Amino acid sequence: MSGTVAPPPVTVADRPRLGRLFRLQYEEAQKAWVLLYPEGMVKLNGSAAEIMTRCDGERTVAAIVADLEAAFAATGLQGDVIAFLEMARGRGWIQTTTPGAAP
């Protein structure tokens, strides 16, 4: 059995925000949103950028999903958004805050 404890899954009540070491900005030279960090840069695809630009620490995952579904006249995005956010959290791109949890 491993001593590593996996973080709890991202939930619709979580409030994602950028990780401390990352800065999100639009790079004209790249014609894309990028995540900048001390060792480099991550160029985001369009879907990732749409999600990341909404990770302000104020909106819940549910609100982000609702906003994306309204913006793109789509439904059923929750699973994909949560899967992306879990991947992003695993890479340190975001941190999540769960209401009622200790800081």
Side-chain angles (χ1 to χ4, degrees):
M1 181 173 248
S2 173
T4 305
V5 177
V10 171
T11 70
V12 294
D14 288 344
R15 296 178 188 276
R17 68 181 186 284
L18 287 179
R20 291 184 304 124
L21 300 177
F22 293 89
R23 187 175 78 213
L24 180 66
Q25 72 181 43
Y26 187 80
E27 283 287 331
E28 188 60 40
Q30 301 283 331
K31 301 277 190 239
W33 284 91
V34 298
L35 277 174
L36 300 173
Y37 60 103
E39 297 84 27
M41 175 181 75
V42 177
K43 182 178 176 182
L44 300 173
N45 68 26
S47 299
E50 291 292 342
I51 296 168
M52 292 294 291
T53 57
R54 290 166 169 83
C55 292
D56 57 11
E58 297 296 320
R59 291 182 241 206
T60 63
V61 172
I64 291 169
V65 169
D67 191 40
L68 290 166
E69 288 180 344
F72 295 99
T75 60
L77 298 181
Q78 181 174 305
D80 291 334
V81 171
I82 287 176
F84 173 79
L85 292 172
E86 287 182 341
M87 179 279 305
R89 185 177 62 184
R91 294 183 179 183
W93 298 354
I94 64 162
Q95 298 173 329
T96 54
T97 303
T98 303

